[in-house]
Amino acid sequence: SSAVELCTHTQLFQAGINLDGWGFMDIYPDKTQLKAPFLYLRSDIRPAKRLDLLGTGKNMEEVKRMDERQIDREAELMENSRVPVHAYVIKTAFHSNLRDHGLLRVSRLGPIYPERCNEIVTQSVRRFFDQHVKGEREEEFLDWALEEEELEAVGEEENR
């Protein structure tokens, strides 16, 4: 994703967010680090699972491999970075739930209500930037996120 790319190669940004974007991070050398606090918000129903649910899995194995590689590279990046990195899955959401299409109902959506998914994304982004850019609400972001039943922490770490 562009956000990951920029936050690993420059210190121009105070914080970065990836909303269910695919980062083709095989181009990064080992031990690449984020240089700014970062938030990953991911859909629960990953591309391979979604294809399987929709019954359109012609290239299912290839998509599964790409999906697994993506998650592994995100985990490596989280582990290597010395800034706060948060990663959450929005349960029962498809990729399209994290876009405006969810509110317009013009594409297939996961079982989560589009308005609820939008509320979670909006609150997550606001609280994350409030904490890491404005310096407000020190612990409130993590407390809020862990209280939301639709959010699941993934390798949640406050890095060095």
Side-chain angles (χ1 to χ4, degrees):
S1 81
S2 298
V4 173
E5 180 80 17
L6 289 169
C7 288
T8 58
H9 289 91
T10 182
Q11 293 182 328
L12 294 174
F13 299 93
Q14 294 177 347
I17 295 177
N18 183 344
L19 296 179
D20 210 35
W22 276 67
F24 296 96
M25 294 186 283
D26 287 343
I27 59 171
Y28 299 152
D30 289 341
K31 304 299 179 193
T32 297
Q33 296 180 5
L34 287 160
K35 294 174 174 42
F38 207 83
L39 171 65
Y40 284 102
L41 278 180
R42 224 187 288 142
S43 59
D44 181 31
I45 302 172
R46 305 298 297 160
K49 186 175 178 183
R50 181 174 184 242
L51 288 175
D52 193 36
L53 289 172
L54 298 174
T56 57
K58 289 183 181 177
N59 299 321
M60 183 69 73
E61 290 306 313
E62 182 181 342
V63 173
K64 281 182 183 176
R65 280 192 301 276
M66 286 176 58
D67 197 32
E68 289 168 4
R69 189 172 68 217
Q70 169 71 16
I71 290 170
D72 289 346
R73 294 298 283 164
E74 284 177 8
E76 278 179 39
L77 201 55
M78 287 176 70
E79 186 178 308
N80 294 338
S81 296
R82 293 196 172 109
V83 294
V85 180
H86 311 282
Y88 294 93
V89 168
I90 301 176
K91 297 177 187 175
T92 71
F94 279 0
H95 176 72
S96 51
N97 283 103
L98 278 79
R99 304 180 304 171
D100 292 341
H101 289 190
L103 295 174
L104 299 173
R105 291 171 173 77
V106 294
S107 58
R108 293 188 184 257
L109 302 171
I112 191 170
Y113 285 107
E115 292 81 5
R116 179 63 181 138
C117 191
N118 183 267
E119 179 184 337
I120 290 169
V121 170
T122 301
Q123 287 298 317
S124 298
V125 169
R126 283 184 179 164
R127 290 170 189 260
F128 176 77
F129 280 143
D130 281 352
Q131 179 178 348
H132 293 290
V133 175
K134 292 181 176 180
E136 298 174 4
R137 305 178 187 182
E138 286 293 322
E139 296 300 319
E140 193 171 325
F141 172 75
L142 289 175
D143 293 343
W144 172 82
L146 295 173
E147 288 174 6
E148 294 299 312
E149 64 184 49
E150 294 96 339
L151 278 178
E152 179 179 318
V154 177
E156 182 65 32
E157 293 184 23
E158 279 291 330
N159 295 326
R160 298 157 284 290

